[in-house]
Amino acid sequence: MRNIIFERIKKQDKKISKNTATAVKSAVAGFVLMTALIFATTGCDFAGSATQKSATAVQETAAVIEAWEPMEVSEKEQTDRIIAHGGGSVGGYQTSNSAEAIMHAADIGFKLIELDFNMTSDNHVVLVHDWEETTTYYYRQRFSGPIPLAKFQACLSYGKFHTVAIENLIAIMDKSQSFSVVTDAKDANMEVLEAIANEYPQYLGRFIPQIYSYEQYEKVHEWGYDNIILTLYEMPYPVNASQVLNFYREKGLYAITVVDEAYMEPIVNELLANNVKIYRHPINKYERYQELLSQGCYGVYTSGIQPSEITSETAEYYITMPDENNPNHMVKLTDYEVKGKTVKEVVALEVAGLKQNEYRIYYIGDDGVRMTDQGLDELPYGKVHMPVEIWEVNQRFVGHYTGKTLDYYIWKNENGVRILDSKYEYRADLRKVIPRMEDLSDAKEVDPRGFKKLTSILKRSLVANAGDYYYYYNAKAGNFMLEDEFFYAAFGDGISEAGGKDVTEVYIPVAESARALGAGCVNMSIDENIVITLPEAVTPYGKDIFVANRNGYPYMPFLQKTLVSGRYLGEIFGRDVLEGVDDTAGILVILPENVKKSDLTDKEIKRLLRIAKRLYE
């Protein structure tokens, strides 16, 4: 066995305001256009007059905020147990730090919204995670460092959502008093916090700054911030738990934030034993959230859990499904593929939280039609509301409706039937009909024999397309996922033969791709490297250590995932790679081990890429 190490950088609830609902609807309706913006061109429009573009962007962002009508959220519906990570999720797009995400997070009950801050090259405070690494995925631009405010304001996060300068954030805070902001400004923490304190001193009570070292505390407190979080993931490892505990008590900190990694557990356990208020991050699985609370943690940073899952009267009830990693273990249903042919499989799904005298009733639609043992093929194509009512039996064995209803959707297309948690309703509109590779037809092919040869090669290849969440390997389709959300292949910088980053390549999520190609496991090491363990037979590098870093093949980090050049991945596994150009741009084919690019003529390569493109049309 051998290790290949990739250097890894450190890094809906139905309550939606009119403006946020419009933003989400637009994101879904314009998904094809958005995909082109993110993955095929740029998320930042720098053409034309910079002054004109900046002025237009400022006006658009201001108009979006002005049009927002904040939801009235009761104290009971709010919670500080979960913090909206990077603004949370809007329409399935995570950590965008956008105006739409912040407004949506406030509307659905987040009391604390964590946002990433940085300084522009002309010293303005803006919401952006960094200026070099993650901008490639968010804005389809790789910057060499901070850019001017005008250029930043011309960018759209995910090609759709409006970027935010500090004055935009203050405007949002003026419209809604329901939330406070947790700052994350590790690249320029002191500069950002000082600027906010100088420009907006009257708002400091609604800012909870994170600090990344003991030394930062005195200045931050001196500037007028009272509630301060010490975040441990930037501190040298191993962290001294006793020192953290003493500092927490001495300074009266708001909380301690700790990354959810196994190597931090001894420190967390010691702090919890001394009643320290701890948040863990990032946590997007409901089961992990519950587990951490049971251990004594106060809360988590999340872009996948919503306040209603904690505060609503039905929070304790939810449909369960088998864990994909452990079928004998049941977890909260998020997006479930129905395997059977009748609704019997659906109504057999258990509901967690039911008391001994309670039972559930499944309905189709909003007209009180109960699910019966009918065929799933009788269901119409598309999305249908699937309410689940909770009933109870009294002492006379008479059933009564408790007034509690769970919201789900059942969704059907040519690929089958799925059940979605209501917070993933938008996903029914994002899902595509995924063609089956075996359905590729030679009916319109001039050379059927050549077609069969090329499709035979495709069926043994890994095939992906920039801007799409599904891929093929050995003729079977799979999904790139970021926990419970779709994750997309993307265009990124490539390395030319001359060594410059002057070509464009297709990047694919490394975990799913490496496992498909034969990796035993893909893990993150304690020093935040991605480690892929492979049988020696599948790679030409023997037992050598192969490192990808910024000076070699570039890669694209995003949250807890990493995308890597398909060409580079092919090199690691000893496979040749084909990439489309012009009318097949975006297509990536990692060929089978026994097929070399040199075995194919230029005409065959072009034809193979066109056939592959048909899988994404």
Side-chain angles (χ1 to χ4, degrees), residues 293-552:
L293 256 63
S294 70
Q295 295 171 4
C297 292
Y298 187 81
V300 303
Y301 294 53
T302 184
S303 55
I305 304 171
Q306 295 187 354
S308 62
E309 296 179 78
I310 298 167
T311 63
S312 76
E313 64 177 4
T314 59
E316 62 185 301
Y317 300 96
Y318 52 87
I319 299 177
T320 61
M321 65 179 185
D323 186 343
E324 62 179 15
N325 297 316
N326 181 6
N328 294 322
H329 178 60
M330 305 302 287
V331 297
K332 187 173 186 177
L333 184 145
T334 52
D335 182 346
Y336 176 71
E337 180 182 4
V338 179
K339 307 291 186 183
K341 298 296 184 182
T342 70
V343 296
K344 184 180 294 185
E345 180 184 349
V346 177
V347 299
L349 290 170
E350 296 292 337
V351 172
L354 288 177
K355 301 176 180 62
Q356 191 170 5
N357 65 328
E358 292 179 331
Y359 59 99
R360 77 276 190 204
I361 299 178
Y362 288 79
Y363 292 88
I364 285 286
D366 297 314
D367 298 325
V369 178
R370 291 181 59 165
M371 268 196 179
T372 58
D373 191 15
Q374 63 195 79
L376 289 176
D377 54 1
E378 295 177 32
L379 291 174
Y381 276 23
K383 176 182 63 180
V384 180
H385 190 210
M386 191 185 82
V388 181
E389 292 184 352
I390 306 301
W391 286 59
E392 64 181 1
V393 177
N394 63 18
Q395 292 180 343
R396 297 183 178 181
F397 299 100
V398 176
H400 293 276
Y401 173 47
T402 64
K404 299 174 182 178
T405 301
L406 314 182
D407 280 325
Y408 290 87
Y409 287 86
I410 192 162
W411 174 85
K412 178 180 177 181
N413 76 357
E414 290 87 341
N415 293 134
V417 177
R418 308 191 76 87
I419 298 173
L420 301 171
D421 186 306
S422 61
K423 72 176 181 179
Y424 295 118
E425 178 188 356
Y426 60 82
R427 192 180 288 179
D429 299 305
L430 291 180
R431 273 194 178 274
K432 297 182 178 182
V433 175
I434 300 177
R436 298 190 309 167
M437 192 173 281
E438 56 264 36
D439 290 340
L440 286 171
S441 170
D442 63 356
K444 297 181 180 180
E445 295 289 332
V446 177
D447 177 14
R449 181 176 299 178
F451 176 83
K452 290 179 180 179
K453 171 189 172 181
L454 297 178
T455 52
S456 173
I457 293 173
L458 274 182
K459 288 177 181 179
R460 293 175 287 129
S461 302
L462 189 148
V463 183
N465 184 52
D468 277 296
Y469 63 82
Y470 62 95
Y471 66 95
Y472 296 87
Y473 184 67
N474 284 344
K476 294 183 178 179
N479 292 337
F480 294 128
M481 300 295 293
L482 179 57
E483 294 188 320
D484 286 328
E485 298 290 1
F486 294 138
F487 198 38
Y488 302 88
F491 284 117
D493 293 336
I495 302 295
S496 69
E497 291 183 3
K501 296 179 182 179
D502 54 2
V503 297
T504 299
E505 296 184 358
V506 178
Y507 279 54
I508 52 179
V510 67
E512 293 91 341
S513 304
R515 290 192 186 101
L517 292 171
C521 61
V522 182
N523 293 309
M524 180 180 287
S525 66
I526 192 171
D527 52 357
E528 297 195 337
N529 289 321
I530 297 296
V531 181
I532 301 179
T533 305
L534 300 173
E536 187 174 334
V538 304
T539 173
Y541 294 104
K543 296 183 179 180
D544 296 337
I545 299 296
F546 197 90
V547 180
N549 55 44
R550 296 173 217 181
N551 298 320

Side-chain angles (χ1 to χ4, degrees), residues 109-129:
F110 279 100
K111 293 181 72 173
L112 299 177
I113 302 176
E114 186 254 16
L115 299 167
D116 296 299
F117 290 78
N118 224 312
M119 300 295 294
T120 63
S121 61
D122 47 357
N123 295 316
H124 291 274
V125 177
V126 295
L127 303 190
V128 63
H129 186 276

Side-chain angles (χ1 to χ4, degrees), residues 150-342:
K151 285 191 173 183
F152 175 72
Q153 290 175 317
C155 294
L156 291 174
S157 184
Y158 289 111
K160 196 67 184 175
F161 303 118
H162 292 83
T163 52
V164 176
I166 184 63
E167 56 268 25
N168 305 129
L169 175 59
I170 295 299
I172 294 173
M173 296 172 75
D174 281 340
K175 295 200 72 171
S176 174
Q177 307 295 316
S178 66
F179 68 94
S180 294
V181 172
V182 176
T183 69
D184 187 0
K186 47 191 167 292
D187 289 344
N189 198 37
M190 303 307 279
E191 295 91 334
V192 166
L193 295 179
E194 184 176 20
I196 294 174
N198 289 337
E199 295 175 35
Y200 301 100
Q202 68 273 34
Y203 290 86
L204 294 190
R206 292 181 64 189
F207 281 92
I208 302 174
Q210 293 184 109
I211 59 173
Y212 307 95
S213 68
Y214 303 120
E215 293 75 22
Q216 290 183 350
Y217 175 84
E218 293 301 334
K219 273 290 184 185
V220 172
H221 189 257
E222 180 182 308
W223 290 329
Y225 297 96
D226 292 326
N227 297 315
I228 298 173
I229 294 175
L230 175 64
T231 299
L232 302 187
Y233 70 87
E234 288 283 305
M235 299 180 73
Y237 183 83
V239 177
N240 186 314
S242 297
Q243 189 175 6
V244 173
L245 176 61
N246 292 337
F247 189 79
Y248 172 82
R249 289 172 171 172
E250 177 186 339
K251 304 301 182 184
L253 297 180
Y254 182 84
I256 302 292
T257 292
V258 186
V259 67
D260 189 38
E261 295 287 355
Y263 68 88
M264 294 300 291
E265 294 305 320
I267 297 163
V268 170
N269 291 338
E270 185 171 341
L271 296 176
L272 289 177
N274 287 277
N275 300 314
V276 174
K277 183 179 181 180
I278 289 180
Y279 284 94
R280 303 296 297 272
H281 74 95
I283 307 296
N284 293 321
K285 291 288 189 180
Y286 181 80
E287 288 75 23
R288 181 58 177 159
Y289 163 75
Q290 293 282 19
E291 181 182 5
L292 291 171
L293 256 63
S294 70
Q295 295 171 4
C297 292
Y298 187 81
V300 303
Y301 294 53
T302 184
S303 55
I305 304 171
Q306 295 187 354
S308 62
E309 296 179 78
I310 298 167
T311 63
S312 76
E313 64 177 4
T314 59
E316 62 185 301
Y317 300 96
Y318 52 87
I319 299 177
T320 61
M321 65 179 185
D323 186 343
E324 62 179 15
N325 297 316
N326 181 6
N328 294 322
H329 178 60
M330 305 302 287
V331 297
K332 187 173 186 177
L333 184 145
T334 52
D335 182 346
Y336 176 71
E337 180 182 4
V338 179
K339 307 291 186 183
K341 298 296 184 182
T342 70

